[in-house]
Amino acid sequence: MTTFATPRQKWNSSFNTASLRIVALGDSLVYGYGDTVGGGWVERLRRGWMGQKNGHVLYNLGVRGDRIYQVEERLEGEYRCRGELRNRVPDVIMLSVGVNDSARLRRPDGRLFTEFDTYQQQIENLLDKAQQLCPVYFVGMVPVDEQKMPFMDCFYFNNFDQYRYKEVTKKACHSRNIPYLDIFDLWLGRGEDYVKLRLTNDGLHPNVKGYESLYEDIINWQALQKLNLGNVSAIL
């Protein structure tokens, strides 16, 4: 049985510079699928930090099509391989997953890819395990264009189910004091045209403009702007 130490036990107190080691885990939104120019929000963030003195180091561990149980399965293994130095582990985990779980199979009213009650338990398990490793930040899903469904002639995504899965994720994060960026509500609040102009023809993934906007939303996220060694140490 795998055992997890507390976040404080994982913290490397000898590391006292401003630079952090961060891993981003999730699905195609983390991977950056659809952004042929900037490589996605993680890559844009990585490049920005790389150009700064003592900028944070960011590893993209997004896998297209991943559902929450798959991210949970690879969580600790991915985490332990990215410390860079011997006996060191990353300082922060950024998660973004859930949209694939919310899909309906074969028809608009088909069964959910991950049943809602199952997802609720899995998101709680994922967050608990991640928090036992280090501080966690969560970037929410983008809304879809329902008129472009089905995706791959099989998956029907809709904003109603997305909202349900997003809300249970958001509540699970808030109950654990995990910063959550609600991209879904943020984008829908800007209007239907805003969303459609930022999605690829599949109606699911952001396009270049979408990832540019997503990156701007993330770098302006107050929780992320406070991300530094002192702030992370205070969380533990």
Side-chain angles (χ1 to χ4, degrees):
M1 178 178 177
T2 302
T3 59
F4 295 90
T6 65
R8 187 173 293 280
Q9 289 172 312
K10 294 296 178 185
W11 180 252
N12 186 343
S13 59
S14 65
F15 185 61
N16 55 13
T17 69
S19 177
L20 301 173
R21 300 300 181 266
I22 302 169
V23 292
L25 287 99
D27 50 30
S28 56
L29 194 66
V30 171
Y31 174 79
Y33 182 79
D35 188 354
T36 57
V37 175
W41 69 265
V42 176
E43 177 63 11
R44 292 169 184 268
L45 195 57
R46 185 191 71 84
R47 293 177 186 176
W49 280 340
M50 187 170 59
Q52 299 174 3
K53 182 179 180 181
N54 292 327
H56 305 314
V57 176
L58 179 60
Y59 289 97
N60 187 329
L61 306 177
V63 176
R64 293 174 58 187
D66 258 15
R67 288 188 282 162
I68 195 163
Y69 86 91
Q70 292 165 308
V71 173
E72 181 184 349
E73 283 182 343
R74 60 189 178 91
L75 171 68
E76 187 172 12
E78 297 271 35
Y79 171 82
R80 294 193 182 281
C81 291
R82 300 309 189 286
E84 295 188 354
L85 302 176
R86 184 178 180 181
N87 298 325
R88 183 172 170 206
V89 289
D91 306 297
V92 173
I93 294 173
M94 296 185 72
L95 294 171
S96 184
V97 65
V99 64
N100 294 315
D101 298 272
S102 72
R104 291 190 178 268
L105 304 181
R106 296 186 177 85
R107 60 180 190 269
D109 61 347
R111 71 174 180 87
L112 291 160
F113 203 7
T114 303
E115 291 298 332
F116 185 74
D117 290 344
T118 301
Y119 178 84
Q120 185 170 11
Q121 185 60 58
Q122 289 177 339
I123 188 63
E124 291 177 355
N125 292 342
L126 173 63
L127 295 178
D128 287 342
K129 289 182 179 180
Q131 265 198 316
Q132 288 173 340
L133 296 172
C134 68
V136 180
Y137 291 70
F138 204 107
V139 175
M141 65 181 76
V142 301
V144 302
D145 184 351
E146 298 176 2
Q147 296 178 354
K148 297 291 181 65
M149 297 300 122
F151 175 68
M152 296 182 64
D153 298 320
C154 179
F155 299 101
Y156 288 83
F157 293 86
N158 68 78
N159 289 328
F160 176 79
D161 286 320
Q162 276 192 284
Y163 179 81
R164 295 170 63 218
Y165 283 63
K166 181 271 293 187
E167 278 295 291
V168 76
T169 303
K170 184 176 180 178
K171 290 177 182 177
C173 286
H174 284 179
S175 69
R176 292 162 174 79
N177 293 317
I178 293 173
Y180 180 91
L181 181 58
D182 194 339
I183 295 293
F184 184 86
D185 280 1
L186 195 61
W187 279 27
L188 284 182
R190 295 168 181 163
E192 184 178 347
D193 289 342
Y194 179 94
V195 174
K196 289 184 176 182
L197 287 172
R198 283 161 177 78
L199 297 176
T200 62
N201 289 333
D202 64 21
L204 178 62
H205 298 98
N207 54 25
V208 173
K209 188 176 185 66
Y211 279 108
E212 288 174 350
S213 299
L214 187 55
Y215 169 71
E216 290 296 325
D217 289 331
I218 291 171
I219 62 170
N220 288 312
W221 184 17
Q222 187 176 9
L224 193 67
Q225 289 180 340
K226 295 179 179 179
L227 186 60
N228 55 56
L229 185 66
N231 176 259
V232 171
S233 182
I235 294 175
L236 301 180

